[in-house]
Every structure is written in structure tokens, then in C-alpha cells.
């Protein structure tokens, strides 16, 4: 891309690996930015090239730690003060999305708070992928382009032997997501029903449906400690499944997730690269969403519809 063209792409520290892939797909350079860190943990952001009057795309997932979110907020503020005409936040993984409602008294709605913070900082548009709850789009008063990892997972599923395949969800909350895949491929679906005593701890799980002699594909959006998905896989195997694989959009993979996946009955655990995954686990496969985001950015720039990017 010629530096005189009216858009530029910048990245936060921990999403640079994905930003570079997106820029390669778009055929443009990654913008120059400087992030200085002080001894007390505070940091500052500055653009090393002019962005006056241009469209600015800021690529940063807001996964833990909260430094990633704070870095993005400072990038937005700096772009606004540098007279960018439009600021588009590209957040492949939208953190705090699991706090989307008051599920008990006296708790915060974290997803709404993050939406307010991004809006107050000055974004004009949000591009994200597989929000934990679709209604989070309504927390924003700016356009939200909500992409789906199904754009790459469908191609992955087509490489599997679908004659004996059954789609499964590791919990009742993911039924709609799993049902979309089952309908698209014309496959049967089973559901895991779980009861929790507290967060990240499952007390009971049961299967609704028959998996005997079947190849099971578990579908989820976020894998954090991997307790649910590995327990579901083990129960599927114990119930007669021939094999169990899993696909999930976001590899949060907090310890001891990698160890659990390694020791589980899963044949394969497939993620996108919305979050960097650097731990060693032979069962984990990473598929890139760079082309999906590049296509969305290209269409935003040319004012084209992005609905054709939605496979299911």
C-alpha cells in the first residue's frame, strides 16, 4: 500500500502476529507505532507516522491481562487526538464477553462496561469475531461487524469423514451454535448437560443423545480451563464414541488447560489464532482467521456488504 492511501493498520503489542498476517493478506505494510513502558507498569502510545484525515484500523484482542485492553484504549485516544477521520477497532477476541448480564444480584455487566469504554475512547466501528453472546452488539451505538469462525471451520469439517460424524455441544448454552453446523452439513446433534457448583468447576455432566460408534465433533466458542470440553470428550468416549474432536474460536487456555487436553480423550483440538497460543500441546491445531478479517476490512473500505462472509 502506498503511504498516501487513506487508510492505515496498526497493532497492539500482543496481537502483532495476527496484524502482520492481515497486512500480508491486504498487501499493505503495518503502521509504525511506539509503545513505551515505564518502571511502574504504566505505558504510553504514539504513532510514528501521520494519520491525519485517514481511516485507522487498530488490531488488538482484549484477552488477559488487562494491559491489552488499556493499550487499545490508549491507541484509540491517540488516534483521535492525531485527527484520524475514522477509528475502527478490530478485536478478534472480545474479552469480558462472558459478563453479558446480571446472573445474580450485585454484579457488574463487564461486556457493557467495555463497550462504553471503547465508545468513550472514540471508536467509529467495531469488527470482532464470535462474541460469547450475540446481544453484546447492542451494547454499542456504533456499527458492529460480527464475523464468525465458521468461515474457516466449515472447510476444516469438510476434510473429515462426515459419513459417521455427529455434532455435539459441551453445554446447553452452545446449542444454537452446534445446531447451525448440524443443519448446514445435515448431521445429527447431541448435547451435554452440565451442572456447576462454581465457576470453572463441573459437578455433573450427562449426554442427551446417542454417540455409540460415532465420530463426535464438539463445537464451542471459548475454551478457558478446558474442564468442560475435556470432560465432555471423556464422557463421549466412555459412552461408545469412536473418536472425539473439538473446534473452538478462542484459545484462552488458562492453566491447566493444555495438560487437560493432552490427557483427555480428544483426538484433536482446533482453534483460530484470535488469541496467541504458545504452549506445547500436540493435540492443538491452529487455523488462521487473518484472511477473514482482511476481507472484512477490504469491504469496509469499499463500502461493500460483508454478509457474504457469513457461511452459517
Amino acid at each position: 500500500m502506498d503511504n498516501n492511501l487513506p487508510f492505515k493498520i496498526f497493532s497492539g503489542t500482543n496481537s502483532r502476529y495476527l496484524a502482520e498476517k492481515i497486512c500480508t493478506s491486504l498487501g499493505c505494510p503495518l503502521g509504525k507505532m511506539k509503545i513505551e513502558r515505564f518502571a511502574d507498569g504504566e505505558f504510553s502510545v504514539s504513532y510514528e507516522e501521520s494519520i491525519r484525515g485517514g481511516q485507522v484500523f487498530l488490531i488488538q484482542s482484549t484477552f488477559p491481562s488487562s494491559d491489552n485492553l488499556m493499550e487499545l484504549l490508549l491507541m484509540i485516544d491517540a488516534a483521535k487526538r492525531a485527527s484520524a477521520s475514522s477509528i475502527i477497532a478490530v478485536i478478534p477476541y472480545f474479552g469480558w464477553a462472558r459478563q453479558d448480564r446480571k446472573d445474580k444480584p450485585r454484579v457488574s455487566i463487564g461486556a457493557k462496561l467495555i463497550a462504553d469504554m471503547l465508545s468513550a475512547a472514540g471508536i467509529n466501528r467495531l469488527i470482532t469475531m464470535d462474541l460469547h453472546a450475540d446481544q453484546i452488539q447492542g451494547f454499542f451505538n456504533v456499527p458492529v461487524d460480527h464475523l464468525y469462525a465458521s468461515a474457516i471451520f466449515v472447510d476444516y469439517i469438510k476434510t473429515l469423514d462426515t459419513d459417521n460424524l455427529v455434532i455435539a455441544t459441551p453445554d446447553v448454552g452452545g446449542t444454537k451454535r452446534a445446531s447451525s453446523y448440524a443443519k448446514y452439513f445435515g448431521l445429527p446433534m447431541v448435547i451435554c448437560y452440565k451442572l456447576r457448583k462454581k465457576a470453572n468447576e463441573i459437578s455433573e455432566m450427562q449426554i442427551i443423545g446417542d454417540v455409540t460408534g460415532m465420530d463426535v465433533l464438539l463445537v464451542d466458542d471459548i475454551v478457558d480451563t478446558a474442564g468442560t470440553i475435556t470432560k465432555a470428550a471423556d464422557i463421549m468416549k466412555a459412552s461408545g464414541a469412536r473418536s472425539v474432536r473439538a473446534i473452538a474460536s478462542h484459545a484462552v487456555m488458562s492453566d491447566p488447560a493444555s495438560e487437560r487436553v493432552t490427557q483427555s480423550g480428544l483426538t484433536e483440538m482446533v482453534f483460530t489464532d484470535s488469541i496467541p497460543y504458545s504452549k506445547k500441546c500436540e493435540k492443538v491445531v491452529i487455523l488462521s482467521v487473518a484472511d477473514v478479517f482482511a476481507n472484512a476490512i477490504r469491504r469496509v473500505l469499499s463500502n461493500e456488504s460483508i454478509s457474504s462472509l457469513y457461511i452459517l
Side-chain angles (χ1 to χ4, degrees), residues 27-302:
C28 68
L30 185 61
K32 297 176 183 178
M33 170 174 282
K34 187 175 183 181
I35 300 175
E36 291 185 302
R37 296 186 178 271
F38 303 101
D40 63 354
E42 189 176 316
F43 49 87
S44 67
V45 168
S46 63
Y47 293 92
E48 299 296 291
E49 54 188 285
S50 175
I51 56 174
R52 182 178 294 274
Q55 282 188 291
V56 175
F57 292 84
L58 306 178
I59 299 172
Q60 178 81 316
S61 285
T62 54
F63 56 95
S65 70
S66 55
D67 278 5
N68 291 310
L69 172 61
M70 194 63 201
E71 200 172 274
L72 176 59
L73 292 170
L74 290 173
M75 289 162 64
I76 296 166
D77 185 65
K80 182 172 65 174
R81 296 178 188 278
S83 301
S85 66
S86 181
I87 302 168
I88 299 95
V90 181
I91 307 178
Y93 170 72
F94 186 92
W96 285 271
R98 286 173 283 185
Q99 302 175 45
D100 64 311
R101 67 195 185 282
K102 286 189 70 173
D103 56 355
K104 58 183 179 181
R106 298 175 295 280
V107 296
S108 67
I109 303 179
K112 171 59 175 168
L113 174 62
I114 301 305
D116 288 345
M117 292 168 68
L118 291 168
S119 297
I123 65 167
N124 301 105
R125 177 184 289 270
L126 170 68
I127 303 175
T128 188
M129 173 172 279
D130 280 353
L131 289 167
H132 187 63
D134 287 349
Q135 66 265 23
I136 291 173
Q137 297 173 74
F139 294 171
F140 290 87
N141 290 320
V142 298
V144 176
D145 294 316
H146 186 203
L147 308 180
Y148 296 95
S150 57
I152 59 171
F153 284 147
V154 162
D155 288 338
Y156 164 78
I157 294 171
K158 287 178 180 177
T159 67
L160 304 177
D161 181 4
T162 57
D163 292 340
N164 211 37
L165 196 65
V166 59
I167 302 296
T169 174
D171 56 40
V172 175
T175 302
K176 180 181 176 183
R177 186 181 308 108
S179 177
S180 297
Y181 283 94
K183 288 178 181 178
Y184 183 84
F185 287 101
L187 297 171
M189 186 181 84
V190 299
I191 300 169
C192 283
Y193 175 73
K194 68 179 180 182
L195 294 174
R196 287 191 189 273
K197 287 184 177 178
K198 58 183 181 180
N200 293 328
E201 185 176 316
I202 303 163
S203 60
E204 184 182 344
M205 182 178 283
Q206 297 176 342
I207 299 175
I208 302 173
D210 185 17
V211 295
T212 305
M214 304 294 284
D215 295 309
V216 178
L217 181 67
L218 286 160
V219 179
D220 211 345
D221 62 332
I222 297 171
V223 174
D224 188 352
T225 61
T228 298
I229 206 156
T230 54
K231 185 160 187 169
D234 292 343
I235 289 175
M236 296 285 184
K237 290 284 284 185
S239 299
R242 191 168 69 176
S243 70
V244 185
R245 289 177 169 82
I247 57 175
S249 306
H250 308 298
V252 177
M253 295 294 279
S254 308
D255 288 333
S258 295
E259 183 180 345
R260 283 176 173 169
V261 170
T262 299
Q263 295 175 353
S264 73
L266 285 168
T267 301
E268 202 170 50
M269 179 75 246
V270 184
F271 293 112
T272 76
D273 57 353
S274 64
I275 299 175
Y277 179 75
S278 57
K279 295 173 184 177
K280 293 182 179 179
C281 179
E282 292 183 356
K283 293 185 178 181
V284 170
V285 175
I286 304 295
L287 304 177
S288 183
V289 290
D291 288 343
V292 176
F293 278 97
N295 285 336
I297 290 171
R298 194 177 288 113
R299 290 172 187 235
V300 167
L301 288 167
S302 58

